[in-house]
Amino acid sequence: MTEPLLGRSLNRLEDRRFVQGRGRYVDDLAAPMLLHGVVVRSTHAHARLAAVDVAAARNMRGVAGVFTGQDLAADNIGPLPCSVMQIPMTSPLVVPPCHALARDIVRYVGEPIAFVVADTIENARDAAEAVVIAYDPLQPVVAITDAISPGAPSIWPEAANNFGFTFNRGDIAPVEEAIAAAAHVVECELVNNRVVAASMETRGGLGEYDAATGRLHLTASAAGAHGIRDPLADFVFRIPREKLRVSIPDVGGGFGMKNVLYPEWVLILWAARRLGRPVKWIGDRSEDFVGAVHGRDSLIRARLALDSSGRFLALETKVFANLGAYVSTVAPVVPTMAMASAMGGVYDIPLIAFEARGVFTNTTPVDAYRGAGKPEANYLIERCIDLAAAQLGIDALKLRRKNIFRSFPHASAMGLTVEKGSFAHAIDHAVKAADGFNARRKASKAKGLLRGQGFACFMETARGTPNEVAEARVAEDGAIEIMVGTHSNGQGHETTYAQIAADTLGLPLKRFRFRQADTELLDSGGGHGGARSMHQGGTALLMAAEGLIENARRLAARLLQAHVDAIEYRDGVLRVAATGQEIGLDEVARASRQMQADDVTPGLAQKATHLCDRYTFPNGCHVAEVEIDPATGEVKLDRYVIFDDYGRLLDPRQTLSQVHGGVVQGIGQALFEQALFDPESGQILSGSLMDYALPRAGDIPVFEGHLTPDFPTSANRLGVKGSGQAGAIGSPATVMNAVMNALAPLGVRHLDMPATPQRIWRAIEAAKVR
């Protein structure tokens, strides 16, 4: 019997080809007679297109075509749809037409206006510079508060007061009554700053068209082949889904940004069909800053009611979420269903009323970014608790202990049933990690520095798109192919899925070949997002591998002339226990290819569908310590401690790596990152890595703490809870609570993220004159 692989930390199978330069990314792809595309983008945030002159560009060297919105309109190409129209809104969701190339009016800097295609990328760039666009400027509005102010410029006539939707969950009347009668009420207004995903690999794609079959093929740096194919086929090209193939090679990061249907996918496919040649487009870093969806960007106003002992009574939350200029693919889910599901965090709050309103602005569209609504919800409650502790003169950690979930299953005010997890257990570990803080603070003070300590708990509602499919089969070369409808863009699925299949089949890891992200392989798939892959896809693969064994048992019974109930399977061998007859899995698989029978599938192939709409509830408590130089405002993150619960740990090191990555992104949002726009012109002010600060290795301490496997979930057969997003949920509030704890002795009461040196210095100086 092979040694079990699940629960062990393995070297990732995919890493060898990555570190040896054998990864296969979109820009590595070539095709005969390949053409290259360049997008001509708007330089205005809000303007009428008076004229788009492409005559000179069309006559330049090597140019195969220069196209505008009128060309796409003439070919009946539809606008990019929103894929989540089923959300139960209080007021209807307004989805203005988002065309792949602008028509009449541009509404954000970077909006595509023309598409230039040429024989080389250099010729395409030269021709793009020859496109002449005349604009009639209109007044832009980029900030949420400005967009909803009386008399603000209208971005869409169908969106009154620039509101795109209203969503409510929870009854407001009892919440208002509880607030009115409460001994204490804490009010806060928090900004969740806009961020850029800044994945290592920018977006890019290759469009191909087969005239003989009439089929289109998109190969893209994306995340979720079926989620891109279906709306492209149904709403944009209006063709049968089988006429469009979407495949995704290796992807260098995405964090939600690459789950989205983009104008560029439409352009390269349409141009390939129009010109009869493959067309590649690779975005540069500047294009991703203005053309790829951004994350976060919300204004949250809240009231938390407490009784005289500090027990939470009610929470009222009003969210204004920046949509940008258009409603992106799944954008409305983020500040509505996703954020509401996590509202209140790990705390027993009997009454919650939640309202979210989407706001149009003249900025790059906003969509899902790691955590997608859950970090915003957690940031709100964890900052509110620290504000409440300061207002009431109660220790913030004690306030958390008093109100954390204690009995299970717990029915949340948002309608979810939360099963037992670490929760208070995580706080216990955090308290131990805090030992010695006063001595460390004293040592910092001796150096003229301020030291602060922050705690934050978190709970994610992890599920993503419900249900998932997987297939397992023995290939002709003897490898066992495993295919899952999820998608990896760096998470290590090639290893972890193989671990699941290897343990189920009792075979060495080297026997397995992982395939993903191709609509030709599976007829459906939920892709990437919502920390769903092991919860949904892992369980589907377990079912598929078990089904392959059952297929093998049935065929082995026929080959050995025995009853199927007499056939035992173990470690690649099928055996009749009573007689000792046996046959290998490979031999049975070969026989399956030779037999003509309705109940025999070649390669013993078995497809399985995991039907599951249950959430898992990853949770934990984090601790941060910072040092601040009051003379400059510079922040040093000195310690960061993690105590998290992700249920059963299939590969502890991979799980911890996922958490570390999320924590770093949350630290980035808390201390460094912000996508800024000029309020007068709408121009992006942080449009490159020269102006947009990402955390670097030297900014991050060595992480401490551990993950507990003691609370497996019952939501799936593997017992796993999603780990891909959780770090980004817990860390922003943890770091900001530490910053505010350091500044509290100076009288600084509030800062919004990011806590940059300039903001901190100004807050310190302002506190001096109060």
Side-chain angles (χ1 to χ4, degrees):
M1 180 178 180
T2 59
E3 183 181 355
L5 298 172
L6 292 175
R8 295 170 54 192
S9 295
L10 304 181
N11 291 331
R12 300 199 324 174
L13 300 178
E14 52 267 71
D15 285 350
R16 179 175 293 274
R17 60 188 172 88
F18 288 148
V19 300
Q20 291 180 344
R22 294 188 288 111
R24 184 172 175 268
Y25 299 90
V26 167
D27 203 22
D28 295 321
L29 304 181
M33 301 178 67
L34 180 65
L35 296 170
H36 299 266
V38 169
V39 179
V40 180
R41 302 180 183 276
S42 174
T43 57
H44 286 255
H46 201 191
R48 294 187 184 279
L49 294 175
V52 180
D53 186 353
V54 299
R58 281 176 173 159
N59 291 322
M60 293 185 69
R61 181 177 58 187
V63 171
V66 182
F67 307 108
T68 67
Q70 282 64 43
D71 296 306
L72 272 65
D75 210 12
N76 197 32
I77 297 299
L80 281 66
C82 171
S83 295
V84 289
M85 298 298 293
Q86 72 277 14
I87 298 172
M89 298 292 189
T90 308
S91 66
L93 173 60
V94 177
V95 183
C98 178
H99 296 286
L101 293 174
R103 305 176 187 179
D104 304 324
I105 296 177
V106 289
R107 291 178 170 85
Y108 67 96
V109 171
E111 182 168 1
I113 297 175
F115 190 52
V116 179
V117 183
D119 57 351
T120 68
I121 187 62
E122 293 80 11
N123 285 340
R125 287 171 179 158
D126 289 344
E129 292 184 2
V131 175
V132 179
I133 303 170
Y135 300 92
D136 290 333
L138 300 170
Q139 181 62 42
V141 57
V142 300
I144 293 172
T145 50
D146 292 339
I148 62 178
S149 297
S154 176
I155 297 171
W156 293 102
E158 58 266 52
N161 302 314
N162 292 322
F163 285 115
F165 63 80
T166 302
F167 172 90
N168 292 91
R169 177 163 288 183
D171 191 349
I172 186 62
V175 170
E176 289 182 334
E177 291 175 7
I179 290 173
H184 306 283
V185 177
V186 177
E187 299 188 24
C188 66
E189 180 174 296
L190 301 171
V191 172
N192 216 279
N193 43 315
R194 179 182 285 231
V195 295
V196 173
S199 57
M200 186 175 293
E201 180 199 24
T202 60
R203 294 173 303 135
L206 171 66
E208 298 173 274
Y209 176 66
D210 186 337
T213 62
R215 296 191 74 208
L216 291 162
H217 181 194
L218 171 67
T219 308
S221 178
H226 296 86
I228 292 171
R229 180 203 62 182
D230 295 354
L232 266 177
D234 296 349
F235 299 102
V236 179
F237 287 96
R238 302 182 175 100
I239 57 176
R241 291 180 180 180
E242 60 268 21
K243 290 292 186 180
L244 173 59
R245 176 187 178 188
V246 175
S247 60
I248 303 170
D250 290 324
V251 175
F255 315 115
M257 177 267 285
K258 290 182 180 175
N259 299 40
V260 172
L261 177 57
Y262 282 107
E264 291 86 356
W265 306 159
V266 179
L267 297 176
I268 57 178
L269 286 171
W270 180 81
R273 187 174 70 177
R274 173 75 170 254
L275 299 172
R277 294 172 63 180
V279 178
K280 181 192 282 189
W281 169 82
I282 302 295
D284 62 28
R285 183 63 62 186
S286 295
E287 283 184 286
D288 260 15
F289 268 93
V290 296
V293 293
H294 293 174
R296 311 290 191 249
D297 201 350
S298 60
L299 172 66
I300 306 178
R301 294 168 180 158
R303 294 190 293 170
L304 177 65
L306 304 89
D307 68 14
S308 57
S309 71
R311 185 78 62 186
F312 298 159
L313 302 174
L315 175 66
E316 179 192 22
T317 305
K318 293 185 177 181
V319 178
F320 298 91
N322 197 335
L323 296 170
Y326 295 92
V327 178
S328 186
T329 309
V330 297
V333 163
V334 176
T336 58
M337 303 290 285
M339 193 184 298
S341 72
M343 193 54 60
V346 301
Y347 305 104
D348 185 4
I349 307 177
L351 300 168
I352 298 178
F354 174 81
E355 179 180 271
R357 306 194 75 181
V359 180
F360 288 109
T361 62
N362 292 117
T363 61
T364 302
V366 176
D367 210 309
Y369 174 72
R370 200 168 192 167
K374 285 65 174 294
E376 295 93 317
N378 200 71
Y379 185 72
L380 165 69
I381 190 62
E382 293 297 327
R383 287 292 299 125
C384 272
I385 290 174
D386 269 34
L387 291 169
Q391 183 172 317
L392 276 61
I394 301 175
D395 178 77
L397 204 54
K398 291 181 179 178
L399 195 57
R400 288 179 169 86
R401 280 185 179 280
K402 178 181 285 289
N403 289 282
I404 202 165
F405 299 155
R406 293 288 181 180
S407 61
F408 300 93
H410 173 82
S412 79
M414 292 287 93
L416 297 180
T417 300
V418 182
E419 62 185 349
K420 188 174 183 180
S422 181
F423 300 112
H425 172 262
I427 291 184
D428 293 340
H429 283 284
V431 170
K432 293 178 183 177
D435 285 350
F437 170 69
N438 288 334
R440 293 190 293 276
R441 172 174 266 182
K442 185 177 180 180
S444 296
K445 185 176 181 180
K447 296 185 292 183
L449 303 175
L450 306 169
R451 179 174 282 265
Q453 184 180 67
F455 297 86
C457 298
F458 79 90
M459 181 187 73
E460 183 185 2
T461 49
R463 182 192 68 185
T465 303
N467 312 328
E468 194 50 271
V469 297
E471 185 173 331
R473 65 186 177 205
V474 182
E476 290 190 29
D477 63 359
I480 298 176
E481 292 187 334
I482 51 177
M483 295 162 282
V484 189
T486 58
H487 183 264
S488 172
N489 49 34
Q491 300 96 309
H493 291 180
E494 189 170 331
T495 302
T496 308
Y497 281 137
Q499 287 175 265
I500 294 170
D503 270 13
T504 306
L505 292 165
L507 295 172
L509 205 62
K510 63 183 179 181
R511 284 289 306 272
F512 296 88
R513 180 163 60 226
F514 176 57
R515 301 180 68 187
Q516 65 165 1
D518 190 335
T519 56
E520 298 282 85
L521 296 177
L522 295 170
D523 56 10
S524 65
H528 154 86
R532 67 185 298 275
S533 293
M534 293 304 123
H535 170 38
Q536 302 284 5
T539 307
L541 179 59
L542 173 64
M543 295 165 60
E546 291 173 339
L548 186 149
I549 292 173
E550 290 308 304
N551 291 343
R553 288 181 66 239
R554 284 193 294 270
L555 184 50
R558 193 174 306 180
L559 296 171
L560 298 176
Q561 298 182 348
H563 193 277
V564 66
D565 291 342
I567 302 294
E568 298 176 349
Y569 174 86
R570 184 173 181 178
D571 298 346
V573 177
L574 297 113
R575 184 172 183 271
V576 181
T579 66
Q581 292 175 283
E582 62 181 39
I583 187 171
L585 179 66
D586 292 338
E587 187 175 348
V588 177
R590 283 193 293 272
S592 74
R593 300 183 190 284
Q594 300 165 0
M595 297 182 68
Q596 301 294 322
D598 292 340
D599 62 342
V600 176
T601 57
L604 306 173
Q606 178 65 41
K607 178 182 174 182
T609 301
H610 178 222
L611 299 174
C612 178
D613 64 355
R614 291 182 62 183
Y615 289 92
T616 68
F617 300 96
N619 63 91
C621 186
H622 293 190
V623 189
E625 290 187 21
V626 300
E627 278 189 329
I628 297 176
D629 185 340
T632 64
E634 183 179 1
V635 183
K636 176 188 176 185
L637 181 60
D638 192 56
R639 292 188 76 206
Y640 199 95
V641 189
I642 299 165
F643 295 103
D644 288 357
D645 162 22
Y646 299 105
R648 182 187 179 195
L649 302 175
L650 302 186
D651 187 311
R653 186 169 60 197
Q654 282 217 64
T655 304
L656 194 58
S657 296
Q658 283 290 296
V659 176
H660 285 177
V663 167
V664 171
Q665 286 185 282
I667 290 168
Q669 185 180 9
L671 297 179
F672 302 99
E673 301 181 48
Q674 186 169 24
L676 291 168
F677 294 87
D678 181 80
E680 298 299 323
S681 67
Q683 296 290 330
I684 189 167
L685 301 177
S686 50
S688 75
L689 294 177
M690 293 290 290
D691 307 297
Y692 185 89
L694 290 172
R696 302 184 182 188
D699 300 316
I700 309 299
V702 175
F703 293 128
E704 306 169 55
H706 74 276
L707 311 181
T708 174
D710 297 336
F711 303 94
T713 180
S714 63
N716 58 70
R717 289 178 55 195
L718 292 169
V720 298
K721 305 175 185 179
S723 62
Q725 304 186 137
I729 297 171
S731 55
T734 306
V735 173
M736 286 303 294
N737 284 344
V739 169
M740 297 314 300
N741 179 255
L743 296 175
L746 302 184
V748 178
R749 297 287 176 256
H750 176 70
L751 277 179
D752 278 317
M753 299 186 290
T756 61
Q758 183 187 63
R759 282 188 175 178
I760 291 174
W761 182 84
R762 286 181 172 177
I764 292 172
E765 293 302 303
K768 291 178 181 178
V769 300
R770 281 203 294 266

